Structure formats: C-alpha cells, structure tokens
Amino acid sequence: MITRRELIQGSGAAAGLALATRVDGAFAAAGTAGTSRLARAQTPTAGGTLISASTSSPTGLDPHSVALLANYRVTRLMYSPLVNLSAELVPIPALAESWEMPDDVTYIFHLRSGVTFHSGKTMTSADVKYSLDRILDEATGAWARGSFASVASAETPDDATFKVTLSSPFSGFIAAMFNLLVVPAEIADQPADYLMTNVDGTGPFMLESWTPDVDLKLVRHPGYWEAGLPYLDGVTIRVIPEENSILSALETGEIDHYVLEDNKSYAPLESEGTLSLVTIPAMGTNVVNINHRKEELQDERVRQALSLAMNRSEILQIAGSDVGVVSGPIPPTHQLYSVPVEELAFYETNIEQAKALLAEAGYPDGFSLDILYIPTYPLMELSAITLAAQWAEIGIKAEPRSTDIGVWLDLRTKTYDYYISTNLDFPTIDPDVYLFDTFHSSSAPAQWDAWSDPEIDALLEEGHATSDVEARQAIFAEIQKLLVERCAAFWTYAQNFVNVLQPDVMGFVAHPSGYPLGYDRVWIETA
Amino acid sequence: MDLTHTQSSEMSSGFSVRPRTRSRIARLSAWIRRNPLLFFGTLTLVILVFCAIFAPWIAPYDPLGIAPRDSLKPPSRAHWFGTDRYGRDVFSRVLYGSRNSLLVATTAVAISASVGGLLGLASGYFGGVLDLTIGRIMDIIFSFPALLLAIAIAAVLTPGSRNAIIAIAIVYIPLFSRIVRGPTIAEVSQEYVEAARVTGSGSGRILMRHVAPNVLSPWIVQVSVALSHALLLEAALGFLGLGVQPPAPSWGLMLNEASDFIDAAPWLSIFPGLAIVLAVLAFNLVGDGLRDTLDPVL
C-alpha cells in the first residue's frame, strides 16, 4: 500500500523535493501552532507506550535510500538530522549545535558533544561526513541526493567540527541539512543492505522489532542527546491498510495517534468531540500537471482559459473536505514566501473570460483532453472528476483517466501520452528547493512536462544564489506570479494535516511536514 | 347502497355488452393471481428498462454535474435520494446508473448466451474430439469461482465497461454451453433428426432448423438467470473499480463511492443497493416464472 506523497518521492527524480520531512521535538520552543489542547496542562510523566497507526508499512528501514512516507515516519524517530526545522520552518539546532558561514559557499557546523548512537558509540564528525558521502554515493540511491548536489567537498577539521564547501551558492542549503540523517561510519564494513533491517541512529527511539505489514516496535533510547527525553518507554506503529478500520480503532482507544489520509473524517470527528484533533497547514500546494507537448496546451491562452474555468475553492471543498486553503505554488505555511492568491493571475473563476480566451486561441467549441489520476489516491480522483465537471462548462470534453501507479509513472516520465495529470502536493521546506527543482528547465520534472521558460529560468538561478531574505522574497514572489500567469502547472489548495489523538496523549506538537513526530516530548497522562 | 347497485348493474351490463374486453381483463387478472411473482418481476423489469432508456428525460439533474455546496445532503424534496460527495444528485445517478449497469449485463449475457449456445449445440451434435475439447475448456473456465475469474480478466484487460462486458461474457459461456449440450444430445438421437439427415439436410440446417428450437426453452430460462448473476457481477466489478469508470455512474461504482460514507451518508449506499436488489430480484422472478411456463419438468 502506498500513500500520499510517496508517489512523488518514490518517483526518484523528485528526490530533491523530499526535503520536507519532520522534526523530532526540538521545535517545542517554536510557539503554540498545532499544539494539542492539553499540551500545557501539567508536568510530564515518564513511561507508557504510544500506539500509532499507518495505512502503509515501510519497505525497509534505511534512512537514506527508501523514499517512502512510511519510511520517513519511522526512521525520523530513530535517526537525528544535523539541523532541525521549527514548525515555522526555521532551521534550529539538532546534532549541530551551531553553524557559521565564512563565505557564501562555506558552511562550518559545530557538533553537539556527547551524542551517542544506539550502540553506545559516541558520534564524531567522521560519522557525519560518512553519512553525507553515503547520500552522495549514487549506489546508495538516496532520495535526498538532489538536495546535496552542490556539495564540492566535506572536511572534518576535528571530531566536533564539520565543514562543507559548495561549488556554487545554494540558499536552501541549511534547510537541506534537515535531510542529513546521521548513521555511524562503521556500517561501511557491513553489507550494503545492512541498514534495511538494522538500525543504529542517534534518535530518541531504538528498534525493538519490525514485522513488515504488521508493526514496528520501538523502545526508548536512554542515551538520547536531549537529556530526560523521551518520556515514553516505547512507540508501536501498527500497519492497518484501511483508514476506516483505523478510525474504529481510535474510537475504541486501541490507537493513540493517527494522521488522516482523507480529511473527510475531520468534520464528523470534530462534531463527535471525543478525540483531540490537532491540525497544521501542510508545506506544499496540490498541483495539477500540464503536458506542454500537446498542441492545444502549448497555447498559453488555452492554459489560462483552463485556469479561469477552474474553481479552486470547489476543489478544496470536494477533494480537501474544506480543511485547508486555496493557495499559490508556495503555501501560506511559508509565511515569508507565500504570495496571496489575490495577487495571482487567472486564479479567480471567470467562465466568460475563459470562453473568450479559448475562442481567441482557435477553440471556440473546446477540445478533448484526458485527466490522469490514480484511483488509490482519493485526492487525485476527486480532483480529476471535479476538474472534468468544471472544464465542461467552457466546452472542454475532459475525461478522467484511471491509471495504476506504474502506468502513471510511465506516462508522466517516459511516454507522455496524456494532456493533464492530477498530482499531490510537493512538501518543501524552502521555496528554492521546490521551484528550482521542479520548474527550472534543467530539472527532471520540468522536462517531464516539457516546461521551459528562459525568463523564469533566469529568475530561478538568481533565487538559487541569493541568501538575503528580502531579496529572496522579491525574487520568489515574482517567480510564483510568472509561473501562475503562464500556467506552468495549475496549483489548487494546500491542505491541513489532521492529527487525531486520544485525549490522554499530552505534549504532542504537530509539524507542517505532517509526520506524526515530536514523540520524544509526548507523554501519556495516567488517570 | 346506491353505489353498490350502480356498480353491479354496470358490471353486469358491461359483461353483456363487451364480453371480449371483459374476458381479456379477467384473463389478465387471473394470470396475475396465478403468477403474482412473475407479474411483479415483469413489471419491475419494464419500469427499470423504461428508466434506463428515458433517463435523460426523467433525471432532474445532470448525473455528472457537481455542486460542492450541496455535498452529502440527505434526501429532500430537491434531491429525492440525497447528494454524494461532489454534490451530485443520487436519484439522477441511480437512473443513469441503470443504463450502464443494464447495458453491461445484457450485452455480456447476449454474448455468452450466443457463443455458449453455439458451442453447446456443436458440442452435442458433433460429439467426439470436438465435444471433448469444448467440454474440457468449459470445465476449466467453470472451475474458477465466477467472481474471481471476472476480476482477473477485467484486471488484465485494464478497467472499463467494455472489458467488464468481455469478462462477464467469458465467465458465463460454459453455463450456456452446458445447458444446451445435454438437450442437444437427446434431440440428435430423435427420429425426426434422422429423417432430416436422410432427406439430405446439412448439419448447419439440421442444427439451426430442427435441433435449436427444441433446446430453446432451457436456454431462455438460463438467459434470465444469467442476467441477474451478470448484474451482480457487474456491480461487484464496478465496486472494485474494474467496471464502468468514474465519473460515469453505475450501481456498483456508486456503492464503492458510498463505502467511505456508510455512517455519515447512508443514503449513498441505500439507493444504489436497493436498485441492485430490485433488478436482481426482478430477473430472478422472471426467470422462475419462465421456467415454470416453458419447462414444467424442471
């Protein structure tokens, strides 16, 4: 069973987009966003096991190579990154206590002292360097490799210092360190797939047992680098493929925590009121891809007409169960870089203008197109059917086309015989990472869609090399406006992640990545 | 008193003035009294087929038209059967769904009945290696549970209504082949067939002119039974996403879409479910009735 954004991340070439992952707890100081309602109620008590559920099982436990949501959800509990991200997506210290930039291509990280692996070994800069090398090694097949493409060299001046030199400035590099999950250098002597079934990280929990498709049991890491944490004795992640079964298990109290796959259950759960709900806006906007190879879609006016015929709030209501916001390419979660939808061209539904544009482009009676979706992803199907109904109003005969994931990937990346494809959101921690890696004409996703625009390319390159926040804001706002105006793709809405918790689960802080983490600060209230 | 009087006098006068009409109605009501189930089944079928054919004129809404503001509304005067997740009118979708569901089921049965029937005739008439070969192939198809085989075929052929028809047709071919083969063997040894052969009729002529009419009644009964099974199978395939593709409505597909809302919006599953039950019941009742009429031995 595959879920949500594994689809995108699993497709390999989008690895750079997988930056958005999670944070294990160090963001507690980051404010009250997404804190469960009883989080500040009382002092934590240690002990207890938290049981969470997932609709899919990890296929392996390697923190670098397995590009699946189910994998990120569990490996982030066992491995720590060099740098964490707060709920506001600001980089905060994790294994690196602090960092400095002597110039715009050099980064020096000062490592925390006394960090130990689950095996008891003390972590040094050699382990960090080994981990980076492992990600960069093509043989590893690391999903995060794209984030580190600009690394020219890595050095270890001493055990507590790690120095990276880039070949060119990359403004999202600190954020990318969020994906540098540290493994011990000694595993180099083990077979290549050693980490698939064995775990040795510096994270808050250690592997006790893993039964694929059944459950994964974790126990507290007594040597965790944050003193006194975690409070829990252990975490069990159960695999239950049907969301409805998970919801029943939540009602009977068998499950303590779950992140909704389909937000349709939000309203009923809210009105019932027996379980705690913690929502947090996601880090990406759902997108509809355009195959720019198709003659009709090569005409910008046709794409603009399609955009005008869309009713994005209807799509949010139907596909997103109205739990989210209509959004441009970078969602409001990224307060610094999101552009208000009022400033985006062709975003407001206007059937008359759409028809006029279509007629001007030479299609007064519309034309036929297909809309790809994968039926196992309800959001894609709901969007495809809604779009077809909306586009019918301007005479476009749109046919939703069901494909399985393998066919979808082939169509999107090899054979290109389709017009429009629904897609999910690309969770991203930094606008540069998403926009550059998806819409610069050199990137694989842009090539899949046959998207190329020299003006936007130039702006993306400028944004990539700029680290001043104000300058970046201006550049990325301009890029987003151009992408929307020229309809590189159609963005729809950013959803909210809905965490469902038993009322006795305390101190849970949600993260915009949607990963059910922060478990190191969670405790279970004993009655 | 007055009323009874008028009525009885009218009745008696009607009887004397229009004896034929009266007797026709009487015969019909007598027939209904003798075969209430067959009558009910036929009536339901007629209504269903009427709905399927005239769906565009009966349906109050576009079955594909979305209206998110009306999403998941319970049955009301505006929406007799409520609305689904997209705000689409369930009544209109059930009506249009009857088109797709009945079309798939009847086309599939038409194919399997004619192919299976011909195979059975040939098998029974020629016997020998041909009979053996056809028989074993039919056994192989028969040895799979119908639903499982249909799922496998539909999945291999990629989902869609055309392929659902093919899958259902293949699954039911052995049923017809077998039901025709037995009586054919019995008929072939009859003297009139011998006589036809002696007078120089070719095999084709003997089969179609002489044997086929005599094995027709079990075949007809089987058609109506297979129709109800095919309808169920179509619903199952639709439910599994292997039949009619969304957004087009079909009963099974509607049940699939409803399965997420079985608590929150039960009308989504009740009405398409009811439609399936009614249609299957109607086909079964007609099948039973036909069997009693055509084949009293069974």
Side-chain angles (χ1 to χ4, degrees):
Chain A
M1 221 67 189
I2 322 162
T3 27
R4 295 189 52 78
R5 57 207 73 174
E6 294 157 16
L7 176 57
I8 286 96
Q9 295 172 350
S11 67
L17 308 171
L19 277 176
T21 10
R22 61 87 280 177
V23 133
D24 25 337
F27 50 81
T32 53
T35 309
S36 75
R37 65 188 159 95
L38 295 166
R40 290 146 305 217
Q42 49 200 236
T43 44
T45 46
T49 297
L50 183 95
I51 299 169
S52 82
S54 165
T55 52
S56 53
S57 170
T59 54
L61 300 179
D62 191 316
H64 297 150
S65 72
V66 184
L68 286 175
L69 177 75
N71 173 279
Y72 306 149
R73 280 187 170 168
V74 298
T75 53
R76 291 275 172 172
L77 288 168
M78 302 182 282
Y79 294 91
S80 297
L82 213 53
V83 171
N84 260 332
L85 289 172
S86 72
E88 282 76 24
L89 306 177
V90 177
I92 50 174
L95 295 181
E97 214 163 25
S98 63
W99 50 87
E100 53 189 299
M101 277 183 70
D103 57 66
D104 61 4
V105 291
T106 311
Y107 292 79
I108 297 171
F109 296 91
H110 301 288
L111 304 182
R112 200 178 289 271
S113 63
V115 175
T116 59
F117 285 99
H118 298 163
S119 61
K121 192 198 92 139
T122 304
M123 184 196 77
T124 68
S125 55
D127 299 310
V128 181
K129 180 176 182 333
Y130 172 76
S131 304
L132 180 59
D133 289 344
R134 187 168 187 268
I135 290 172
L136 288 172
D137 183 358
E138 224 162 311
T140 310
W143 46 268
R145 193 163 163 264
S147 323
F148 302 107
S150 52
V151 170
S153 68
E155 293 155 58
T156 53
D158 61 61
D159 274 0
T161 312
F162 179 57
K163 183 179 164 200
V164 181
T165 312
L166 303 183
S167 51
S168 59
F170 169 30
S171 55
F173 186 68
I174 286 289
M177 278 296 148
F178 182 58
N179 284 339
L180 184 55
L181 294 168
V182 178
V183 300
E186 284 71 27
I187 60 135
D189 305 330
Q190 303 284 352
D193 59 355
Y194 176 74
L195 287 181
M196 281 305 209
T197 47
N198 296 278
V199 172
D200 191 10
T202 57
F205 295 97
M206 308 192 294
L207 180 68
E208 184 189 350
S209 70
W210 174 44
T211 319
D213 294 319
V214 178
D215 64 11
L216 184 106
K217 290 189 169 127
L218 306 178
V219 290
R220 184 173 187 272
H221 176 202
Y224 184 48
W225 50 270
E226 284 210 73
L229 297 180
Y231 299 124
L232 294 167
D233 285 340
V235 173
T236 299
I237 296 150
R238 286 179 55 191
V239 179
I240 304 174
E242 279 290 319
E243 181 163 87
N244 283 335
S245 313
I246 296 180
L247 292 173
S248 320
L250 275 162
E251 270 168 33
T252 58
E254 276 175 70
I255 304 285
D256 295 316
H257 174 228
Y258 175 65
V259 185
L260 291 184
E261 290 276 337
D262 186 339
N263 284 346
K264 71 176 167 49
S265 310
Y266 177 74
L269 284 169
E270 198 189 27
S271 60
E272 249 169 63
T274 48
L275 296 161
S276 306
L277 299 174
V278 181
T279 64
I280 187 146
M283 293 158 75
T285 305
N286 284 293
V287 69
V288 176
N289 291 113
I290 301 167
N291 182 0
H292 295 275
R293 283 173 196 81
K294 293 288 179 186
E295 194 196 331
E296 295 92 332
L297 298 176
Q298 275 173 5
D299 192 323
E300 192 172 278
R301 291 168 299 187
V302 172
R303 302 197 301 271
Q304 289 165 344
L306 291 175
S307 182
L308 283 167
M310 288 168 71
N311 183 331
R312 290 172 170 81
S313 45
E314 278 190 1
I315 298 173
L316 168 63
Q317 283 176 46
I318 290 173
S321 306
D322 227 358
V323 187
V325 282
V326 171
S327 162
I330 301 293
T333 322
H334 295 266
Q335 288 159 18
L336 294 175
Y337 300 107
S338 183
V339 176
V341 288
E342 299 78 43
E343 295 174 26
L344 297 173
F346 309 106
Y347 242 57
E348 189 74 31
T349 312
N350 187 332
I351 301 294
E352 288 315 306
Q353 200 190 341
K355 280 183 179 162
L357 275 170
L358 213 52
E360 206 183 301
Y363 304 100
D365 305 319
F367 58 95
S368 298
L369 56 78
D370 55 351
I371 308 173
L372 300 185
Y373 71 91
I374 306 173
T376 43
Y377 295 84
L379 300 191
M380 291 176 85
E381 178 170 346
L382 290 161
S383 305
I385 289 169
T386 310
L387 277 175
Q390 291 176 350
W391 284 340
E393 295 201 21
I394 57 164
I396 303 279
K397 287 166 279 298
E399 192 180 337
R401 180 171 159 202
S402 162
T403 59
D404 66 37
I405 187 162
V407 175
W408 187 83
L409 283 173
D410 263 5
L411 281 167
R412 289 263 297 129
T413 64
K414 290 195 187 94
T415 55
Y416 311 120
D417 188 19
Y418 72 96
Y419 279 81
I420 300 285
S421 173
T422 53
N423 207 328
L424 304 174
D425 55 337
F426 291 73
T428 182
I429 46 167
D430 188 272
D432 176 34
V433 176
Y434 170 51
L435 296 174
F436 191 91
D437 286 1
T438 318
F439 295 101
H440 190 276
S441 57
S442 68
S443 72
Q447 286 166 5
W448 297 338
D449 291 353
W451 167 254
S452 165
D453 184 313
E455 195 184 337
I456 293 176
D457 275 3
L459 279 165
L460 283 167
E461 283 155 25
E462 196 187 336
H464 196 62
T466 307
S467 31
D468 176 65
V469 170
E470 267 177 46
R472 293 185 92 210
Q473 281 178 307
I475 295 168
F476 287 117
E478 179 65 15
I479 292 172
Q480 289 181 72
K481 285 177 188 169
L482 285 176
L483 284 171
V484 168
E485 189 190 318
R486 294 175 188 176
C487 299
F490 302 125
W491 287 269
T492 53
Y493 69 93
Q495 68 159 349
N496 288 354
F497 284 111
V498 179
N499 290 274
V500 189
L501 299 140
Q502 294 296 339
D504 62 352
V505 176
M506 303 290 175
F508 177 80
V509 181
H511 192 261
S513 62
Y515 301 128
L517 304 171
Y519 279 178
D520 55 354
R521 283 166 201 278
V522 161
W523 77 94
I524 295 171
E525 187 188 47
T526 42
Chain B
M1 283 304 253
D2 214 21
L3 192 73
T4 356
H5 177 72
T6 332
Q7 229 172 26
S8 64
S9 73
E10 213 172 56
M11 268 170 85
S12 57
S13 72
F15 192 67
S16 57
V17 176
R18 297 190 297 271
R20 279 187 61 83
T21 316
R22 177 71 194 116
S23 79
R24 213 179 263 170
I25 293 169
R27 275 206 310 247
L28 184 66
S29 64
W31 179 81
I32 293 174
R33 241 175 288 133
R34 257 183 291 117
N35 306 290
L37 293 178
L38 180 58
F39 170 71
F40 175 74
T42 316
L43 190 70
T44 314
L45 265 191
V46 168
I47 294 173
L48 273 177
V49 172
F50 179 84
C51 287
I53 294 172
F54 294 101
W57 289 275
I58 307 171
Y61 297 89
D62 174 2
L64 307 182
I66 59 165
R69 253 166 289 117
D70 296 332
S71 170
L72 295 175
K73 289 273 164 29
S76 64
R77 199 181 297 173
H79 298 280
W80 293 355
F81 290 0
T83 60
D84 68 4
R85 189 172 190 174
Y86 298 92
R88 298 179 299 201
D89 182 50
V90 175
F91 178 62
S92 307
R93 285 180 70 73
V94 169
L95 281 179
Y96 273 89
S98 67
R99 275 192 151 187
N100 292 326
S101 299
L102 289 177
L103 189 73
V104 170
T106 48
T107 319
V109 170
I111 294 171
S112 55
S114 34
V115 174
L118 287 176
L119 286 177
L121 275 177
S123 198
Y125 182 79
F126 295 108
V129 182
L130 185 74
D131 185 24
L132 213 65
T133 318
I134 293 177
R136 290 302 84 77
I137 294 174
M138 294 302 127
D139 284 348
I140 292 172
I141 300 181
F142 235 155
S143 65
F144 290 98
L147 179 60
L148 211 60
L149 184 62
I151 290 172
I153 297 169
V156 168
L157 293 176
T158 71
S161 51
R162 193 175 48 112
N163 291 332
I165 290 173
I166 296 173
I168 297 171
I170 292 177
V171 167
Y172 286 129
I173 284 175
L175 221 59
F176 290 100
S177 166
R178 284 194 174 178
I179 207 98
V180 168
R181 178 180 168 270
T184 305
I185 291 174
E187 292 299 326
V188 166
S189 56
Q190 298 281 323
E191 280 159 3
Y192 74 91
V193 175
E194 282 297 318
R197 201 173 284 150
V198 168
T199 54
S201 299
S203 296
R205 189 180 161 80
I206 294 175
L207 268 178
M208 297 324 283
R209 287 293 291 270
H210 301 290
V211 181
N214 285 303
V215 299
L216 205 57
S217 47
W219 182 83
I220 288 176
V221 173
Q222 193 60 46
V223 165
S224 74
V225 173
L227 273 172
S228 78
H229 288 192
L231 204 68
L232 273 180
L233 205 52
E234 190 276 335
L237 289 178
F239 182 79
L240 295 170
L242 296 169
V244 173
Q245 291 298 297
S250 92
W251 295 337
L253 186 64
M254 291 176 75
L255 281 183
N256 176 355
E257 290 167 351
S259 63
D260 283 343
F261 297 94
I262 203 131
D263 286 331
W267 56 90
L268 289 183
S269 30
I270 288 173
F271 293 108
L274 222 56
I276 295 174
V277 170
L278 266 181
V280 171
L281 187 69
F283 278 123
N284 278 335
L285 290 177
V286 171
D288 283 355
L290 283 177
R291 191 185 56 202
D292 293 346
T293 318
L294 295 174
D295 208 351
V297 198
L298 281 175

